[in-house]
Amino acid sequence: MGRKSSTIELSTTDREYLELQTRARTIQAQTVSRARIILLKSEGISIEEIADKVGMNRKSVMLCLKKFKEGGVENALFDAPGRGRNAEITDEEKAWIINLACQRPVDLGYAAETWTYAKLTAHINKTAEAAGYTRLSTIHKSTINIILDEADIKPHKITYYCENRDSEFDQKMHNVLLVYKQLSLQFDEEGNLFPFEEDGQVVHVLSY
């Protein structure tokens, strides 16, 4: 009698996230294949069968599962920076996430008054591409948690910030990010200010 193939445990949130990746049309094919590998292994499918189903060799399947074991779903799906994936979330993308977190789900067609991290992540994954932030269509709940923690926002605990939102937030966000971009262009890679030409115009940038 053959030995039963091992399985991996997936949380409900991780399973929903992986299933979303397999249905996405804008992400890389290898990301879809890796998501399928993890889902298939959670069902107890053998390495050989998985390799046959996803059209990858056995070594690649094992590497994906190894990365999952070492660092979770995002570590398994995406390559490290410098190997084909732009893992850095831009300031504009972070601002868009924070903007959504500061809106009531009920105003966006949901029944709830406040977000759970899982529901917010699902909404971001679903709407990011249409909003022009395709990278965020694959963002994981843990990354959103980190971004909101850094901004000291707890969308599942507080509601008062939803009551008096600035209707011009999006335009102001764009303007502020543009100022920071203009300012950054005045410094070299080591953080030194480029010297001004003696007869050139000196530009001062102020953001508050």
Side-chain angles (χ1 to χ4, degrees), residues 11-81:
S11 67
T12 300
T13 300
D14 281 347
R15 182 174 296 278
E16 290 176 350
Y17 175 72
L18 288 166
E19 290 173 348
L20 179 65
Q21 305 315 304
T22 63
R23 297 192 298 269
R25 293 175 297 176
T26 58
I27 62 176
Q28 295 182 359
Q30 69 175 9
T31 302
V32 175
S33 295
R34 292 171 182 177
R36 290 185 62 203
I37 288 171
I38 299 171
L39 287 169
L40 288 168
K41 193 58 183 173
S42 72
E43 298 172 2
I45 307 299
S46 70
I47 299 294
E48 288 76 13
E49 288 182 272
I50 293 174
D52 182 60
K53 287 178 179 294
V54 300
M56 298 172 67
N57 60 52
R58 189 174 187 276
K59 182 178 180 181
S60 295
V61 172
M62 293 180 67
L63 177 60
C64 175
L65 295 173
K66 178 175 182 290
K67 291 176 66 177
F68 172 80
K69 182 177 180 180
E70 293 174 345
V73 170
E74 280 208 316
N75 188 57
L77 294 188
F78 304 109
D79 293 326

Side-chain angles (χ1 to χ4, degrees), residues 157-170:
K157 292 184 178 181
I158 56 179
T159 59
Y160 64 85
Y161 58 82
C162 298
E163 297 173 358
N164 297 301
R165 295 190 69 257
D166 189 339
S167 61
E168 298 179 354
F169 175 86
D170 290 339

Side-chain angles (χ1 to χ4, degrees), residues 22-204:
T22 63
R23 297 192 298 269
R25 293 175 297 176
T26 58
I27 62 176
Q28 295 182 359
Q30 69 175 9
T31 302
V32 175
S33 295
R34 292 171 182 177
R36 290 185 62 203
I37 288 171
I38 299 171
L39 287 169
L40 288 168
K41 193 58 183 173
S42 72
E43 298 172 2
I45 307 299
S46 70
I47 299 294
E48 288 76 13
E49 288 182 272
I50 293 174
D52 182 60
K53 287 178 179 294
V54 300
M56 298 172 67
N57 60 52
R58 189 174 187 276
K59 182 178 180 181
S60 295
V61 172
M62 293 180 67
L63 177 60
C64 175
L65 295 173
K66 178 175 182 290
K67 291 176 66 177
F68 172 80
K69 182 177 180 180
E70 293 174 345
V73 170
E74 280 208 316
N75 188 57
L77 294 188
F78 304 109
D79 293 326
R83 296 186 59 191
R85 178 199 178 199
N86 180 14
E88 184 71 21
I89 305 296
T90 67
D91 288 341
E92 185 172 358
E93 289 169 334
K94 290 179 181 179
W96 185 73
I97 290 172
I98 292 170
N99 181 29
L100 281 178
C102 292
Q103 297 183 52
R104 297 186 305 168
V106 69
D107 293 335
L108 298 174
Y110 300 100
E113 285 287 335
T114 58
W115 293 107
T116 63
Y117 283 105
K119 179 61 72 174
L120 178 59
T121 302
H123 179 74
I124 289 171
N125 292 156
K126 179 181 177 181
T127 61
E129 182 181 358
Y133 303 104
T134 302
R135 161 71 180 88
L136 300 183
S137 64
T138 60
I139 194 171
H140 192 264
K141 183 181 72 170
S142 60
T143 306
I144 292 176
N145 200 328
I146 291 171
I147 291 171
L148 296 183
D149 277 350
E150 291 176 347
D152 197 24
I153 291 176
K154 308 293 183 184
H156 60 298
K157 292 184 178 181
I158 56 179
T159 59
Y160 64 85
Y161 58 82
C162 298
E163 297 173 358
N164 297 301
R165 295 190 69 257
D166 189 339
S167 61
E168 298 179 354
F169 175 86
D170 290 339
Q171 182 59 47
K172 291 178 179 178
M173 174 189 74
H174 172 77
N175 291 342
V176 170
L177 292 171
L178 182 60
V179 168
Y180 278 111
K181 182 63 175 179
Q182 291 172 334
L183 183 60
S184 68
L185 293 176
Q186 298 184 37
F187 293 85
D188 61 22
E189 294 181 355
E190 297 180 354
N192 299 314
L193 183 67
F194 287 120
F196 293 104
E197 298 179 4
E198 292 184 2
D199 58 346
Q201 181 181 8
V202 178
V203 178
H204 298 279

